[in-house]
C-alpha cells in the first residue's frame, strides 16, 4: 500500500523545492484545501474508517513507515529522503504518527538551486529527526557550470549558511557527503568544522571537488590563495569512521587523524597537494584492516630521492584495489611499493584518456610489472597474486596483444571482467591463443601503443583461452564485431574453459543497431547479435 502511495505522489516526493507552508506541524485540516498535486491521495472519512490500516496502533503504523523507507533507501536514496513528506501529507493521522517518528527524518538531501525554502526543509528535517543519527548528502554540482571558479550558483555564503545549520547536530552525523564543482564550498566546510571535538557515530565521509582536470601531469592546485592544507575536522579523533573518500580534496595529511579505516579513496588531486611518501605510509599503516583502496591520478609524492623500490606497503586484508594513473613511469614506481596478498578485485584505468588531450598512454610496463609480481609461487614474494583475482575492470588501457595475452594468462580464477574504451589488442587477447610463456617481461616505458590486427585462433588442438573461469563480461565503447567474434571463439575453445553465461553491452544513445555486418564501437549489428546468441549467453543491452 505504501509503495503505491509513493508512486501516486511522485511529484511531491521528488520535489526538492518543498513549500515551507507544507512543512509546518499543523493539523491536516489547515492544508486540506491543497490540490492533489501538492498533497497526493486524500482519503475520505468513510474510507479511513473502513480501512484496516487505520485500526492499527500508532507503534505498528510507525514501524511500517520506517521499514518502507528502508526499502526505498536501497533503491533510490534521494527518493527515500522525501518519502516521509509524502506520508505526512496523506491524512491527519499519518501526519501525526510520521512527525512523531524521528527515525523517518534522518536522511537529508540538498541540491541546486539553493533557496530559503530549502533551508526551511533542512530545519524541519533536523527538528523532526530528534536524537537519531543523520545521513546527509549535499550535492551542489551544476552540469551547466562554465568552469570558472568564481562563477558558480553555489557560493561561499550559501555553503556557510547550510553548514552553520547542520553543525550544531554534528554529534548525530553518521554519513556526510558533500559534492561541489569548485573549491570555495569545500574550503568553507573544512574551516567551519575545525572546532569539532566529538563525532561519536560518524562512519563515512565523502568530500568531492568534482574536477578531474587538476590530476593532469604538471597541473597545480587552484585557487592558489586557498591551497593551505586544513586538518580534517581539526584533527579530531573519529572513533567510528570506516570509509573516507577525498576526491580533489586535500587536507593536512600529517595532522588529520586517519586511522582504522576499512575503505579509503584518494582521487584527482593536484600533485602539489598530495601527501609525501612518509605521510602516505603512516596513513596506510594506521589502517591495518583496510579492505578497499582507490588511488586515481596521483598517490604520494615520489621526489628525486626515490630510488630503489621496496615493498614497504604490505596490506594483508586489502581485497579491492582501484588504480588510475596519469603517468606510466610514476605508476610503475608506486605499484612497486605494494604487496597485496589477499586481493580479489582489481580495477585499472588510464586517467590520461579523460584529462590529457594526447589520450591514453602505453601501459605495457604496468602490465608487465603486475605479471612479473604474480609469477612467484611463494606468497611472500608474490606481491600481486593475479591468479586469485575474481573481478577485473580495465578502462582505456593500451598495449600490444602479446602483452595483454601474457597479463591475462595469470587470471585463472577470474569470473567477471568489465571493459571500457579498449582497443582490438585487448579484445583479441581474450580469444584462444597459441600461447607459450616467453621470458620474464621487461619493466620499461615504451612509446605509444600501436593498433594491431587480431591474431587469436580457434584450432582446438593448439589453442588456449585465457581466464578459463570467465562467465560474466561487460563492455562499453568497444569494437562490437570483434567482440562477438572473440566470444564465439571462446565458446569453441575446448575443455577447461567455462562458457560465458552473461554478456552486458552498454551502447551510446545514438548507436544504430543495424542489420549489416559493419564493425562499430557504438552499435551492435544484427549479425553480431545473432552470433552472440548462438553461443548461449544471456545478452543484456543497455543504452547510456
Amino acid at each position: 500500500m505504501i509503495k503505491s502511495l509513493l508512486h501516486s505522489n511522485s511529484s511531491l516526493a521528488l520535489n526538492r523545492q518543498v513549500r515551507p507552508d507544507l512543512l509546518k506541524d499543523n493539523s491536516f485540516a489547515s492544508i486540506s484545501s491543497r490540490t492533489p498535486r501538492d498533497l497526493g491521495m486524500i482519503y475520505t472519512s468513510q474510507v479511513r474508517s473502513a480501512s484496516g490500516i487505520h485500526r492499527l496502533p500508532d507503534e505498528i503504523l510507525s514501524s511500517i513507515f520506517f521499514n518502507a523507507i528502508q526499502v526505498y533507501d536501497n533503491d533510490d536514496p534521494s527518493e527515500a529522503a522525501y518519502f516521509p513528506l509524502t506520508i505526512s501529507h496523506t491524512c491527519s493521522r499519518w501526519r501525526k504518527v510520521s512527525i512523531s517518528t524521528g527515525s523517518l527524518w534522518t536522511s537529508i538531501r540538498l541540491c541546486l538551486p539553493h533557496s530559503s525554502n530549502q533551508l526551511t526543509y533542512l530545519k524541519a528535517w533536523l527538528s523532526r529527526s530528534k536524537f537519531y543519527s543523520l545521513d546527509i548528502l549535499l550535492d551542489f554540482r551544476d552540469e551547466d557550470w562554465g568552469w570558472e571558479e568564481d562563477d558558480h550558483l553555489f557560493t561561499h555564503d550559501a555553503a556557510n549558511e547550510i553548514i552553520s545549520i547542520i553543525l550544531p547536530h554534528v554529534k548525530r552525523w553518521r554519513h556526510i557527503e558533500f559534492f561541489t564543482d569548485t573549491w570555495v564550498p569545500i574550503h568553507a566546510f573544512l574551516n567551519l568544522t575545525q572546532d569539532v571535538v566529538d563525532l561519536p557515530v560518524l562512519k563515512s565521509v565523502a568530500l568531492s571537488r568534482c574536477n578531474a582536470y587538476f590530476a593532469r601531469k604538471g597541473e597545480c592546485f587552484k585557487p592558489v590563495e586557498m591551497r593551505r592544507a586544513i586538518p580534517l575536522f581539526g584533527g579530531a579523533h573519529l572513533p567510528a569512521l570506516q570509509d573516507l573518500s577525498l576526491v580533489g580534496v586535500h587536507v593536512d595529511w600529517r595532522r588529520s587523524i586517519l586511522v582504522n579505516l576499512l575503505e579509503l579513496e584518494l582521487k584527482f588531486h593536484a600533485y602539489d597537494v598530495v601527501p609525501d611518501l612518509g605521510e602516505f605510509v603512516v596513513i596506510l599503516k594506521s589502517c591495518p584492516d583496510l579492505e578497499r583502496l582507490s588511488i586515481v591520478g596521483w598517490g604520494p609524492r615520489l621526489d628525486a630521492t626515490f630510488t630503489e623500490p621496496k615493498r614497504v606497503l604490505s596490506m594483508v586484508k586489502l581485497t579491492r584495489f582501484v588504480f588510475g594513473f596519469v603517468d606510466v613511469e610514476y605508476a610503475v614506481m608506486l605499484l612497486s611499493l605494494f604487496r597485496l596478498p589477499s586481493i580479489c578485485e582489481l580495477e585499472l584505468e588510464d586517467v590520461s584518456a579523460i584529462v590529457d588531450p594526447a589520450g591514453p598512454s602505453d601501459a605495457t610496463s604496468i602490465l608487465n610489472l603486475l605479471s612479473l609480481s604474480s609469477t612467484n609461487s611463494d606468497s611472500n614474494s608474490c606481491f600481486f597474486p593475479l591468479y586469485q583475482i575474481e573481478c577485473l575492470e580495465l578502462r582505456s588501457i593500451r598495449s600490444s596483444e602479446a602483452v595483454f595475452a601474457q597479463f591475462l594468462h595469470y587470471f585463472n580464477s577470474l569470473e567477471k571482467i568489465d571493459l571500457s574504451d579498449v582497443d582490438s589488442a585487448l579484445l583479441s587477447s581474450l580469444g584462444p591463443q597459441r600461447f607459450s610463456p616467453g621470458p620474464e617481461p621487461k619493466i620499461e616505458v615504451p612509446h605509444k601503443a600501436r593498433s594491431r590486427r587480431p591474431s587469436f585462433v580457434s584450432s582446438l588442438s593448439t589453442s588456449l583461452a585465457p581466464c578459463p573461469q570467465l562467465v560474466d563480461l561487460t563492455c562499453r565503447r568497444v569494437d562490437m564485431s570483434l567482440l562477438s567474434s572473440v566470444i564465439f571463439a571462446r565458446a569453441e575453445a575446448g575443455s577447461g574453459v567455462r562458457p560465458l553465461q552473461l554478456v552486458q553491452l552498454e551502447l551510446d544513445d545514438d548507436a544504430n543497431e543495424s542489420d549489416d555486418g559493419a564493425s562499430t564501437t557504438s552499435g551492435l549489428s544484427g549479425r553480431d547479435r545473432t552470433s552472440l546468441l548462438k553461443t548461449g549467453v544471456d545478452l543484456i543491452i543497455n543504452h547510456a
Side-chain angles (χ1 to χ4, degrees):
M1 178 176 181
I2 291 178
K3 182 175 289 190
S4 63
L5 172 64
L6 178 61
H7 290 315
S8 69
N9 288 288
S10 58
S11 62
L12 177 62
L14 297 178
N15 181 15
R16 268 65 172 169
Q17 295 305 305
V18 181
R19 285 161 41 192
D21 55 329
L22 298 185
L23 291 168
K24 295 178 181 178
D25 295 341
N26 52 4
S27 67
F28 182 74
S30 66
I31 57 173
S32 59
S33 61
R34 304 299 179 185
T35 65
R37 178 180 180 84
D38 288 331
L39 305 178
M41 186 183 299
I42 300 177
Y43 295 149
T44 65
S45 58
Q46 291 82 359
V47 172
R48 290 199 300 270
S49 62
S51 175
I53 195 171
H54 290 285
R55 293 197 293 269
L56 292 175
D58 288 354
E59 294 79 8
I60 300 298
L61 195 58
S62 174
S63 180
I64 291 174
F65 294 160
F66 177 77
N67 282 282
I69 286 181
Q70 301 310 302
V71 172
Y72 279 104
D73 195 36
N74 293 331
D75 296 337
D76 187 344
S78 295
E79 189 171 330
Y82 293 89
F83 187 39
L85 195 62
T86 303
I87 296 174
S88 68
H89 292 147
T90 301
C91 66
S92 58
R93 181 169 178 238
W94 283 30
R95 181 173 180 79
K96 176 183 177 182
V97 171
S98 62
I99 288 177
S100 64
T101 306
S103 58
L104 300 182
W105 307 88
T106 59
S107 293
I108 295 174
R109 303 288 187 271
L110 298 181
C111 63
L112 290 175
H114 176 62
S115 67
S116 58
N117 288 355
Q118 194 177 59
L119 299 180
T120 302
Y121 149 79
L122 175 59
K123 293 174 182 177
W125 255 247
L126 290 171
S127 173
R128 294 177 185 180
S129 59
K130 300 178 180 177
F131 55 85
Y132 287 93
S133 299
L134 299 171
D135 302 330
I136 303 172
L137 170 61
L138 310 176
D139 188 351
F140 289 99
R141 293 171 291 183
D142 179 9
E143 61 182 14
D144 296 323
W145 176 55
W147 300 97
E148 292 294 331
E149 186 74 20
D150 56 355
D151 183 22
H152 197 279
L153 293 176
F154 192 57
T155 64
H156 178 274
D157 291 342
N160 270 354
E161 194 170 23
I162 290 174
I163 296 167
S164 297
I165 291 174
I166 64 174
L167 196 56
H169 304 268
V170 69
K171 289 187 177 182
R172 296 197 287 136
W173 292 4
R174 179 171 52 194
H175 304 286
I176 177 77
E177 298 176 90
F178 194 10
F179 301 119
T180 71
D181 295 313
T182 62
W183 180 250
V184 167
I186 295 292
H187 188 265
F189 179 89
L190 293 172
N191 264 327
L192 290 174
T193 56
Q194 282 303 286
D195 295 328
V196 170
V197 294
D198 189 15
L199 296 102
V201 298
L202 186 62
K203 289 186 176 181
S204 70
V205 176
L207 303 178
S208 299
R209 180 198 192 181
C210 304
N211 191 343
Y213 169 81
F214 289 102
R216 287 181 59 187
K217 187 175 181 180
E219 279 300 322
C220 295
F221 176 85
K222 296 174 184 176
V224 176
E225 63 274 13
M226 293 185 177
R227 181 181 178 276
R228 183 183 65 85
I230 302 172
L232 184 65
F233 296 111
H237 180 55
L238 308 172
L241 187 63
Q242 297 179 343
D243 303 335
L244 176 63
S245 175
L246 298 176
V247 179
V249 175
H250 66 285
V251 296
D252 188 322
W253 307 106
R254 193 175 299 275
R255 295 170 58 197
S256 299
I257 309 299
L258 308 179
V259 299
N260 299 324
L261 299 174
L262 297 181
E263 179 170 7
L264 176 61
E265 289 187 342
L266 302 175
K267 297 182 177 181
F268 300 117
H269 292 92
Y271 189 74
D272 59 335
V273 294
V274 299
D276 62 35
L277 181 57
E279 293 167 338
F280 185 72
V281 170
V282 168
I283 291 172
L284 294 190
K285 287 190 173 182
S286 299
C287 304
D289 296 324
L290 194 68
E291 298 174 354
R292 300 170 297 278
L293 174 63
S294 298
I295 300 174
V296 178
W298 303 102
R301 280 196 310 278
L302 303 178
D303 56 28
T305 63
F306 182 85
T307 54
E308 190 71 23
K310 298 179 180 179
R311 304 285 173 171
V312 296
L313 293 170
S314 181
M315 309 178 70
V316 297
K317 293 191 177 182
L318 194 81
T319 58
R320 175 172 174 78
F321 183 45
V322 177
F323 186 66
F325 56 91
V326 293
D327 181 87
V328 172
E329 184 176 3
Y330 170 89
V332 169
M333 291 191 293
L334 180 58
L335 289 173
S336 69
L337 300 175
F338 285 95
R339 175 177 172 268
L340 309 178
S342 301
I343 186 172
C344 61
E345 296 181 43
L346 175 64
E347 179 179 332
L348 294 176
E349 179 180 8
D350 188 343
V351 180
S352 62
I354 59 175
V355 302
D356 191 335
S361 304
D362 185 341
T364 294
S365 56
I366 296 175
L367 301 179
N368 282 345
L369 172 67
L370 295 174
S371 298
L372 184 62
S373 299
S374 188
T375 55
N376 200 317
S377 58
D378 180 2
S379 60
N380 292 322
S381 302
C382 187
F383 306 118
F384 289 92
L386 304 182
Y387 56 81
Q388 68 187 29
I389 290 178
E390 298 175 354
C391 298
L392 174 66
E393 294 185 43
L394 300 175
R395 300 180 182 177
S396 305
I397 303 297
R398 301 288 188 268
S399 188
S400 69
E401 184 179 337
V403 171
F404 279 127
Q406 177 85 24
F407 175 67
L408 293 174
H409 166 70
Y410 295 100
F411 288 83
N412 293 329
S413 301
L414 189 69
E415 297 182 353
K416 180 177 181 179
I417 190 168
D418 188 312
L419 305 176
S420 297
D421 185 30
V422 297
D423 61 12
S424 61
L426 176 52
L427 290 178
S428 298
S429 67
L430 281 170
Q433 308 284 320
R434 287 190 178 92
F435 184 86
S436 58
E440 290 186 346
K442 297 180 180 180
I443 310 302
E444 59 183 14
V445 183
H447 59 277
K448 295 279 185 179
R450 298 175 182 174
S451 177
R452 297 170 58 93
R453 296 294 299 169
S455 64
F456 66 86
V457 297
S458 58
S459 171
L460 299 183
S461 60
T462 60
S463 65
L464 174 66
C467 314
Q469 302 301 316
L470 183 64
V471 294
D472 189 334
L473 172 65
T474 299
C475 291
R476 60 189 67 81
R477 297 187 300 279
V478 302
D479 186 326
M480 294 297 173
S481 182
L482 176 58
L483 175 67
S484 63
S485 299
V486 170
I487 293 174
F488 190 83
R490 282 187 65 91
E492 303 294 328
S495 62
V497 178
R498 296 175 66 184
L500 282 168
Q501 299 174 8
L502 176 64
V503 174
Q504 300 185 68
L505 305 179
E506 298 185 10
L507 307 180
D508 296 334
D509 281 334
D510 57 354
N512 295 318
E513 298 180 36
S514 61
D515 292 329
D516 59 30
S519 174
T520 174
T521 58
S522 58
L524 182 68
S525 72
R527 187 173 68 185
D528 293 336
R529 181 198 292 266
T530 301
S531 177
L532 288 174
L533 293 175
K534 281 183 178 180
T535 66
V537 301
D538 289 332
L539 180 62
I540 298 176
I541 299 177
N542 300 313
H543 289 270

